[in-house]
Amino acid sequence: MLSLFNSLSLDLSRKEILGVVGESGSGKSTLAYAVTRLLPGNARILSGEITFDGQPILRMSEAEMRGVRGKKITMVFQDPSTSLNPVFRIKDQLLRIIKENVGLDGIPARQHAIQLLREVELPDPPGVMDSFPFELSGGMQQRVMIAMALSSNPSLIIADEPTSSVDATIQEQILHLFKRLRGERGFSMILITHSIAVAEEVCDRIAVMYAGDIAEEGPAHRVIESPKHPYTEALVRSIPRPGEGRTRKEDLPVVAGQVPDLRSPPSGCRFHPRCPYIMDVCTGEKPAFYPADGARALCYLYEGK
Amino acid sequence: MKKFSRSSPRIEAGDLFRLIHTVRVLSKDRLFLFGLAVVVCAVLLAIAAPVVTPYASQGLGLAAIPPPSCPGVPTEIAGVCPPTLAHPFGTEVLGRDLLARILFGLRTSLLIGLYVVVLATTVGLLVGLTAAFFGGWVDETLMRATDIFFAFPHLILALVIVAIIGPSFYGIFLALGATWWPTFARLARGRAAVVKNQTYVLAARAAGTGSGGIMFRHILPNSIAPLTTQMMLDMGGAIIAEAGLSFLGLGVRPPAADLGVMIFESEAYITTAWWYALFPGVFLFLLVLAFNLMGDKMTQYFDPRLRRR
């Protein structure tokens, strides 16, 4: 038995892109699966609420949930090469999803599919439709996944590390695609990433997660330009930036230490063993959220400010 | 022509493609091709049996009435005549043409093999997929039941079942099918347990696909390919088991033509009529060998660890 999230609250407005940033094991993906109720069988949500469009997601029946999952909330996954069923052609998978979630069939469905593939900037949509997943490159596969996620015109897209397994050029293209589509279609988006640089590029707001907690949350530019939480500060410093005049011998700053083992989390603030500003109070009680310059941080440094 | 450039086919992309790749490699393998050729010939001969041979497989043979003119053969084996131009494989105890009996016997063998494998695969897939899909106590119950079936040797269990439902084509089909499914159940469960945790299954659930869709469109099609080699090997196994049971009198009953029955009938003439036991035996041997060769070669190329080069 392992309790993951202790203090976690997030809000997402319409048309907003929220970046959830954190190291491996900080609970970013678990958060995403909780929202769509796709947590593995051994996970239990003991308390808390998830409200989507005024509906309490955690109190919905599985049947009601299926009306949300894939229709109003869709997901894009990390590794596009394993996200598509290898034995079916793209058209079979795309048309099936359109049939199930949009209710279109036959020629209208095909037109819709081609339109979607065009929207995600895939060349030769009919050719892509007739391909098997393994015939497409990683970037193309990810675009197909995005087209599937768009098919039902959802109000929320959860993208779980959508660019972690594609190269830098494709990453750039896909991030721009998300931004453009958000502008055109007006969906909200949760972008889960381990890269604060990726989050900076597309997100309106950023939530930094650490060991199952939200360490800091605020408007993207604020979080990046003046990080409040010591963890965010360390993360931001670790972004390599050109023209910083760093000499070759100087190492890029890193966050020292390891993510704590959540089976025996540190007392008090979970970041205190790695924190450069550690105070006596940090090891005792867990800190609360304190507002700090338009953002909020889970850190005693901002208590009473 | 597709306008975009295709990335090189990734073999790990899916079982189906590994299978296609395997078939491509196998089409250059001589032993596999030999097996394939034998099986194809056997199937064609079995289908075309009435066209290939002018003789009937059942009833009294022409050689029996009037008593055959085969000099040198003792009268007590009147119907058994050595190969002649009219009867290239000779005739058997009731004077029927041995070739005709063999060709119709091939039908029995192939049909039994096919039925048994299809039944075993279906049951095995159902049990294995259900176990993997639901997990927990469903998995435990189903797999422990499978273990119980595994504890008995195929033939012993089949003997018991035939003894209960009685010897006939369908008796033997049910008996063998009932003893053959556990292998498939285990294979299917193992494979499905892997497929179940693939991202595309999660992605499908995230896209709102229900349990049925997940099972039949995602887990099932991706779990079948590894079973194909087992199906090949088990065709041979089921054919020889059927012949064995029929030989013991627990399978297909006379007058139906069957290789096992023919070998049993030839027992009394083993010292006097060499052709009687030899030809059915050779056909049975070739057929089983062919299936085993195909199965072995498929396993070999399908499993990269066994692949040479």
Side-chain angles (χ1 to χ4, degrees):
Chain A
M1 181 73 189
L2 185 152
S3 101
L4 261 184
F5 305 126
N6 288 320
S7 44
L8 196 149
S9 83
L10 275 176
D11 293 304
L12 182 64
S13 320
R14 284 187 196 280
K15 298 192 181 186
E16 186 173 51
I17 301 188
L18 170 71
V20 177
V21 185
E23 289 169 77
S24 306
S26 60
K28 317 175 293 273
S29 301
T30 311
L31 175 68
Y33 297 142
V35 173
T36 42
R37 292 230 320 241
L38 286 175
L39 289 171
N42 56 0
R44 296 276 174 283
I45 298 176
L46 297 175
S47 63
E49 263 177 59
I50 299 170
T51 310
F52 171 75
D53 234 357
Q55 295 166 291
I57 284 208
L58 297 182
R59 267 176 273 147
M60 282 175 158
S61 68
E62 189 52 33
E64 287 176 305
M65 198 56 217
R66 238 178 286 140
V68 173
R69 221 186 268 141
K71 295 186 179 71
K72 292 174 183 157
I73 305 180
T74 57
M75 291 181 84
V76 176
F77 293 88
Q78 175 169 1
D79 186 357
S81 68
T82 57
S83 305
L84 290 159
N85 189 334
V87 302
F88 295 117
R89 290 177 197 278
I90 301 298
K91 66 174 170 210
D92 298 328
Q93 309 193 41
L94 191 50
L95 293 176
R96 161 73 54 180
I97 284 203
I98 289 173
K99 189 178 173 191
E100 274 176 11
N101 294 339
V102 189
L104 288 178
D105 212 345
I107 293 169
R110 194 180 158 80
Q111 284 167 343
H112 186 53
I114 297 223
Q115 174 56 37
L116 285 167
L117 293 178
R118 201 163 281 140
E119 209 174 328
V120 295
E121 295 163 14
L122 273 166
D124 185 23
V128 172
M129 292 276 278
D130 287 331
S131 304
F132 280 103
F134 78 98
E135 295 176 312
L136 305 177
S137 70
M140 296 170 84
Q141 288 169 340
Q142 194 61 300
R143 284 170 197 271
V144 171
M145 288 308 294
I146 296 170
M148 285 183 177
L150 288 175
S151 63
S152 55
N153 203 14
S155 39
L156 172 62
I157 295 182
I158 301 175
D160 185 6
E161 306 247 12
T163 58
S164 304
S165 55
V166 293
D167 64 51
T169 337
I170 307 290
Q171 165 169 320
E172 201 68 9
Q173 292 172 4
I174 286 185
L175 293 177
H176 274 103
L177 179 65
F178 276 135
K179 265 167 109 172
R180 202 202 79 216
L181 290 169
R182 191 268 309 253
E184 289 167 11
R185 291 189 166 234
F187 50 77
S188 312
M189 187 165 158
I190 299 179
L191 178 74
I192 293 164
T193 171
H194 59 256
S195 158
I196 200 161
V198 165
E200 181 187 8
E201 204 171 321
V202 282
C203 299
D204 306 312
R205 274 193 312 136
I206 290 179
V208 179
M209 288 193 71
Y210 183 78
D213 288 329
I214 292 195
E216 177 170 354
E217 187 255 308
H221 63 276
R222 285 248 166 96
V223 172
I224 303 289
E225 280 158 23
S226 61
K228 294 293 175 280
H229 195 282
Y231 178 61
T232 322
E233 193 185 315
L235 273 188
V236 171
R237 244 188 300 126
S238 69
I239 306 176
R241 294 190 190 276
E244 270 182 342
R246 193 177 282 126
T247 61
R248 274 187 181 219
K249 283 195 179 149
E250 238 179 304
D251 284 335
L252 195 63
V254 292
V255 189
Q258 292 284 317
V259 183
D261 185 352
L262 289 181
R263 275 168 296 193
S264 52
S267 63
C269 170
R270 286 181 173 180
F271 188 60
H272 84 253
R274 301 168 79 181
C275 183
Y277 309 110
I278 183 166
M279 301 179 287
D280 291 340
V281 65
C282 301
T283 55
E285 280 293 299
K286 193 160 185 169
F289 276 116
Y290 302 108
D293 194 15
R296 56 194 177 122
L298 197 74
C299 180
Y300 282 117
L301 285 175
Y302 303 95
E303 191 181 9
K305 277 194 180 172
Chain B
M1 266 312 273
K2 294 175 188 177
K3 286 174 215 151
F4 55 83
S5 65
R6 288 165 173 225
S7 63
S8 63
R10 268 174 287 171
I11 302 307
E12 71 273 21
D15 285 330
L16 183 70
F17 300 102
R18 202 156 62 198
L19 188 68
I20 291 170
H21 174 75
T22 307
V23 170
R24 213 170 278 154
V25 175
L26 284 173
S27 65
K28 296 188 188 83
D29 188 295
R30 283 186 195 166
L31 281 174
F32 179 82
L33 287 179
F34 169 75
L36 188 67
V38 170
V39 170
V40 168
C41 285
V43 169
L44 289 179
L45 281 176
I47 292 172
V51 184
V52 176
T53 169
Y55 305 107
S57 71
Q58 297 182 11
L60 283 179
L62 292 172
I65 12 169
S69 52
C70 32
V73 176
T75 45
E76 65 266 25
I77 52 168
V80 185
C81 288
T84 58
L85 269 182
H87 301 285
F89 287 177
T91 60
E92 46 91 272
V93 67
L94 291 177
R96 292 173 291 204
D97 180 54
L98 210 52
L99 177 62
R101 293 281 287 170
I102 288 173
L103 294 185
F104 283 97
L106 280 179
R107 283 186 167 187
T108 316
S109 293
L110 287 168
L111 277 183
I112 280 282
L114 188 70
Y115 282 14
V116 167
V117 166
V118 167
L119 178 70
T121 311
T122 312
V123 175
L125 265 175
L126 215 64
V127 171
L129 290 191
T130 311
F133 188 73
F134 292 103
W137 64 267
V138 179
D139 187 16
E140 280 298 318
T141 314
L142 288 175
M143 291 333 279
R144 293 303 78 80
T146 310
D147 287 346
I148 294 172
F149 276 86
F150 257 115
F152 298 98
H154 280 332
L155 271 180
I156 303 293
L157 192 58
L159 278 176
V160 174
I161 298 176
V162 168
I164 296 168
I165 43 184
S168 68
F169 184 89
Y170 287 98
I172 204 166
F173 151 61
L174 289 176
L176 289 177
T179 59
W180 238 274
W181 64 267
T183 326
F184 290 98
R186 253 191 207 176
L187 273 176
R189 181 194 169 271
R191 180 61 200 159
V194 174
V195 172
K196 187 184 153 189
N197 291 320
Q198 296 290 310
T199 319
Y200 53 83
V201 173
L202 184 65
R205 289 177 63 207
T209 310
S211 297
I214 297 284
M215 187 129 157
F216 293 107
R217 278 199 310 279
H218 295 276
I219 299 183
L220 177 68
N222 284 293
S223 302
I224 283 179
L227 298 185
T228 49
T229 59
Q230 190 62 36
M231 289 168 81
M232 236 4 129
L233 287 170
D234 281 0
M235 277 291 285
I239 288 172
I240 200 99
E242 180 272 327
L245 286 177
S246 297
F247 179 84
L248 296 174
L250 289 165
V252 178
R253 302 305 303 252
D258 179 85
L259 296 176
V261 171
M262 291 166 78
I263 295 171
F264 169 72
E265 289 167 349
S266 73
E267 209 189 342
Y269 307 95
I270 196 97
T271 51
T272 46
W274 56 269
W275 60 92
Y276 198 171
L278 181 71
F279 290 117
V282 165
F283 272 80
L284 185 62
F285 167 76
L286 277 178
L287 194 58
V288 175
L289 178 75
F291 277 116
N292 282 350
L293 276 179
M294 285 168 70
D296 272 349
K297 286 292 162 189
M298 279 170 79
T299 321
Q300 208 174 93
Y301 285 103
F302 204 70
D303 187 343
R305 283 167 300 179
L306 293 173
R307 204 179 301 162
R308 290 162 298 169
R309 277 161 284 151

